[in-house]
Amino acid sequence: MGEGADEDPIEAGGQSKLAVVCRAHKAFAPRTERARRVAAALSTLGWDCTFWPRVQAPTPAVSEKPRPVRRTLRKIAERFVLIDRFEPESLAWRSGFERSGPAAGYLVVPDFSPAVTAARALRAAGRPYVVDTGDPWGMDMPLGGRGIGPAARRSRAERDLFGGAAGVVLTTKLQAEEMVSRFPGKPVMVRPNGFQEVDTAPPVEAGRKDPAVLRLAHFGRFDRSVRVDPLPFLEVLADSGRWDRVVMTQFGPDPKELPKSTGRVAIEARAALPWPEAVAEARSHDAAIVIGNRPERRMQMPSKVVEYLSLPIPRIALCSGTDDSLHECAGRLPGYLVLTEADREVAGKVASHLDRRWEPEELEPPEELSWGVVAGEVGAFVDSCLRAEMSSASARPLPGLVGSHP
């Protein structure tokens, strides 16, 4: 890729060198799990995988108390100058990335700046890459702003990133339709995340320890700017008279994003858990709830919709409408009750869903949705796209992609 590479840029020990670009800035991030598992699958297909950034560890939380001037400047830069807050770090490791001489790249987003930086270097060297949205947040168009200045820069970066890719992996059909409309002829694969295979006990028996309290568990992040507000739904359940109290417990970050408890509805916040612990914790709840996205974010769906399949309790999907990705996906999965915000009969449906006797096989996840299968299929798609592009490139000169912005 650049002068000074220690080895042949294409081969290392008989294997093609593949840069896996994924910024692991949060614990339990679905995209990090996806990158790790797909990289393992690509290794079996003859790729020598190296992760970039070199250090794959979550960033320590930034305190909001000390150094207010530095914090303010950082936030201004993130909002008006940078693609995202990891861009300075990404630019710092670009030269090392180029010297490593990868033959190709597998770029998992978000975050976007590491992928944008790697893509520019790969395009300049005439090397192919595949972009994987990593989880359903990838196509929320954080780089899709319009106008002048930073917005135009982000829009151009996004266009170059996806437009220059040898293929794109997405997680919903609506995302794929959008991608194909923007880049006709682009190889596209739709594959949501898989579920982790963990040891589980039999499903919880019908009949709760305290039938007067309905306990719902939400695992993962809640963002009020993106998610449907669950409070009206919870209040309808509480006002139905079927339960004296309704409790929703979130196991995840950013508790300040949650709605406040009101009347007979209690909203609790607890720390995120490794998934095996979450599966065990679920047994003390009546159901797991997936909170869908607002109508303007209907292309996406929460990443836990498939992960929930390994839980030993029933699942509820609260959707903004019947035309969003969560409704389409969850409606095909076992153990799910799919509801919309407009549904006023939710109390009866929830009660029936929870009171039935669930047989183990009714909650058992399909094998084809396991990470082992999903990662293998994604890896095969990435491999085919990269090798097709490399084969094509070998028959022509290798200038950088026209329109790239190094």
Side-chain angles (χ1 to χ4, degrees):
M1 173 173 285
E3 294 183 5
D6 294 331
E7 301 178 79
D8 187 301
I10 304 299
E11 297 293 333
Q15 293 182 307
S16 298
K17 299 173 68 174
L18 179 68
V20 179
V21 179
C22 176
R23 182 61 171 83
H25 72 284
K26 288 184 178 180
F28 317 129
R31 70 188 63 93
T32 306
E33 180 75 8
R34 187 179 183 104
R36 183 180 68 81
R37 290 181 179 269
V38 174
L42 286 165
S43 295
T44 67
L45 296 174
W47 294 95
D48 176 31
C49 297
T50 301
F51 276 80
W52 290 87
R54 292 288 197 178
V55 177
Q56 284 289 306
T59 300
V62 177
S63 172
E64 292 298 319
K65 293 183 179 180
R67 300 177 180 175
V69 174
R70 178 179 295 185
R71 184 177 69 250
T72 299
L73 291 175
R74 173 176 58 81
K75 290 184 176 180
I76 291 174
E78 291 170 10
R79 182 173 181 181
F80 297 107
V81 179
L82 304 176
I83 291 175
D84 58 38
R85 66 191 177 100
F86 301 109
E87 187 171 10
E89 173 194 86
S90 301
L91 294 174
W93 56 252
R94 175 171 173 169
S95 61
F97 177 84
E98 292 174 329
R99 287 194 301 272
S100 72
Y106 170 55
L107 317 182
V108 182
V109 298
D111 299 294
F112 276 87
S113 61
V116 167
T117 299
R120 287 170 177 166
L122 290 163
R123 289 198 304 269
R127 303 280 159 73
Y129 61 87
V130 170
V131 179
D132 188 338
T133 59
D135 67 37
W137 299 105
M139 282 293 288
D140 60 359
M141 301 303 174
L143 307 181
R146 298 179 180 179
I148 61 175
R153 178 172 178 264
R154 293 185 181 109
S155 180
R156 184 171 62 245
E158 179 194 50
R159 183 176 64 250
D160 289 349
L161 175 66
F162 287 107
V168 178
V169 186
L170 301 150
T171 51
T172 73
K173 293 180 180 179
L174 292 178
Q175 289 174 334
E177 292 172 2
E178 173 72 11
M179 183 62 66
V180 170
S181 71
R182 295 175 64 186
F183 303 103
K186 180 77 62 182
V188 169
M189 179 185 199
V190 177
R191 206 65 167 97
N193 288 338
F195 66 87
Q196 297 184 52
E197 298 182 28
V198 297
D199 292 331
T200 59
V204 176
E205 293 289 339
R208 293 170 290 279
K209 294 179 180 178
D210 184 354
V213 180
L214 173 61
R215 295 189 177 277
L216 304 177
H218 177 266
F219 297 97
R221 180 186 177 195
F222 178 84
D223 185 337
R224 71 176 70 182
S225 68
V226 174
R227 303 287 202 200
V228 166
D229 182 0
L231 191 56
F233 164 73
L234 299 174
E235 289 179 329
V236 169
L237 295 179
D239 293 342
S240 70
R242 295 175 181 269
W243 304 277
D244 294 337
R245 192 163 174 255
V246 175
V247 180
M248 188 186 82
T249 303
Q250 175 190 251
F251 297 86
D254 305 322
K256 63 181 183 298
E257 292 287 318
L258 293 171
K260 303 298 182 183
S261 300
T262 60
R264 290 185 294 170
V265 174
I267 309 293
E268 300 177 346
R270 293 176 59 181
L273 297 171
W275 195 244
E277 295 180 26
V279 171
E281 176 64 35
R283 298 186 64 81
S284 63
H285 296 77
D286 300 305
I289 182 170
V290 178
I291 302 174
N293 298 334
R294 296 175 182 271
E296 63 269 23
R297 302 295 187 103
R298 67 190 184 92
M299 285 196 305
Q300 310 146 23
M301 65 180 182
S303 57
K304 285 295 190 291
V305 64
V306 176
E307 192 80 276
Y308 275 22
L309 294 177
S310 58
L311 296 176
I313 57 176
R315 306 115 201 177
I316 298 171
L318 178 61
C319 310
S320 63
T322 60
D323 61 345
D324 74 354
S325 295
L326 175 60
H327 196 283
E328 188 274 335
C329 181
R332 297 182 285 106
L333 300 177
Y336 266 99
L337 171 65
V338 183
L339 304 169
T340 67
E341 286 186 286
D343 193 340
R344 297 293 92 183
E345 304 298 324
V346 295
K349 293 178 180 179
V350 169
S352 297
H353 189 61
L354 302 185
D355 286 341
R356 63 173 288 185
R357 179 182 177 85
W358 288 93
E359 299 297 334
E361 59 271 15
E362 294 180 286
L363 293 177
E364 186 175 325
E367 176 61 26
E368 62 268 21
L369 297 181
S370 68
W371 261 126
V373 174
V374 171
E377 292 183 355
V378 173
F381 173 80
V382 173
D383 176 73
S384 66
C385 290
L386 294 178
R387 295 193 185 279
E389 191 74 9
M390 292 167 70
S391 176
S392 176
S394 66
R396 66 176 189 269
L398 296 176
L401 181 72
V402 175
S404 64
H405 298 269

